[in-house]
Amino acid sequence: MGPRRRRALAALAALVLGVTTQPSAQGKRPLAVDNLYDVREFRDPQRSPDGKWVAYTVTRAIRETDKNDTDVWMVSWDGQERIRLTSTPDSESRPRWSPDGRFLSFVSSRQGSSSAQVWLLNRTGGEAVKLTDVKGGVTDYAWSPDGQRLSLVVAVPDPSAPDEDDKSDKSKDAKTPKPIVVDRYYFKSDAGGYLRGERSHLYLFDVAAYLADPGKAKAEILTAGPFNETSPAW
């Protein structure tokens, strides 16, 4: 962990302590189950290039849906201003500043998207726009130093799996699921279960081309094959 990230964590921790340690007008009482909905989890602090702001995520449990919701916030370095940047029912995560500080990007499956994509929020105002539209979704990404491109980690689906966008009748195939064939050392994950042909590959996305003409910008694959690539860094 670099010194900039340590300072950002320290600043965010000081802010959280300042918010959560206010004296209570009531006396001590046992913790109730409903108090879980009052808990806020702060994660992923990211300091802006000019050093004046820290972007971070806040996660809370929603009683009505029995799910967690994560939103992106930012706080001034002195802790005097806090701004909520997203407030949709769909979670947003992995906030990242563009190197010039003009944009703040994040990952979300908002607006009915079947997979998480990278969204771009202009700091001068306006709604966030969806940058990427890759099959399988984006799990991680990194800005290039010049702010012109993004390196993406894409969850490439199993080529033999049925297409989720295919609206044809699948009732017959659902009755006879395909057998699980283990042909890889890492064949099972705690959350995903048995793994087949899905992989994590690196893609390159031209942000400058998107800003010039959104219709012409596409993600280009950089790695392929029966391997997994993660944690891109320029």
Side-chain angles (χ1 to χ4, degrees), residues 73-158:
W73 290 66
M74 70 178 185
V75 60
S76 59
W77 187 250
D78 58 9
Q80 297 301 309
E81 290 186 76
R82 284 176 305 190
I83 302 175
R84 184 176 182 174
L85 299 176
T86 65
S87 59
T88 68
D90 306 294
S91 292
E92 295 85 17
S93 62
R94 295 189 177 277
R96 298 292 184 268
W97 300 92
S98 62
D100 59 5
R102 290 177 54 202
F103 301 101
L104 184 65
S105 55
F106 56 85
V107 171
S108 177
S109 57
R110 51 167 50 184
Q111 295 184 3
S113 177
S114 61
S115 58
Q117 305 294 334
V118 179
W119 292 71
L120 195 66
L121 184 64
N122 194 321
R123 292 190 65 195
T124 60
E127 293 291 333
V129 296
K130 186 168 71 171
L131 277 184
T132 64
D133 189 15
V134 292
K135 189 176 181 179
V138 177
T139 60
D140 195 9
Y141 67 103
W143 283 89
S144 64
D146 60 4
Q148 301 295 303
R149 294 163 293 175
L150 292 176
S151 56
L152 311 173
V153 179
V154 176
V156 180
D158 182 1

Side-chain angles (χ1 to χ4, degrees), residues 32-92:
V33 174
D34 287 345
N35 293 137
L36 293 176
Y37 298 105
D38 300 325
V39 175
R40 301 292 185 267
E41 185 175 0
F42 297 79
R43 286 186 175 184
D44 204 5
Q46 301 289 325
R47 190 179 181 186
S48 63
D50 60 9
K52 296 181 179 180
W53 295 89
V54 176
Y56 59 98
T57 62
V58 179
T59 301
R60 61 192 179 99
I62 307 300
R63 186 193 307 268
E64 292 75 16
T65 61
D66 196 28
K67 295 181 180 180
N68 288 338
D69 179 57
T70 302
D71 291 308
V72 177
W73 290 66
M74 70 178 185
V75 60
S76 59
W77 187 250
D78 58 9
Q80 297 301 309
E81 290 186 76
R82 284 176 305 190
I83 302 175
R84 184 176 182 174
L85 299 176
T86 65
S87 59
T88 68
D90 306 294
S91 292
E92 295 85 17

Side-chain angles (χ1 to χ4, degrees), residues 149-152 202-206 218-220 222 234:
R149 294 163 293 175
L150 292 176
S151 56
L152 311 173
L202 300 183
Y203 282 65
L204 188 68
F205 185 84
D206 194 329
K218 294 183 179 180
E220 300 179 4
L222 297 177
W234 294 83

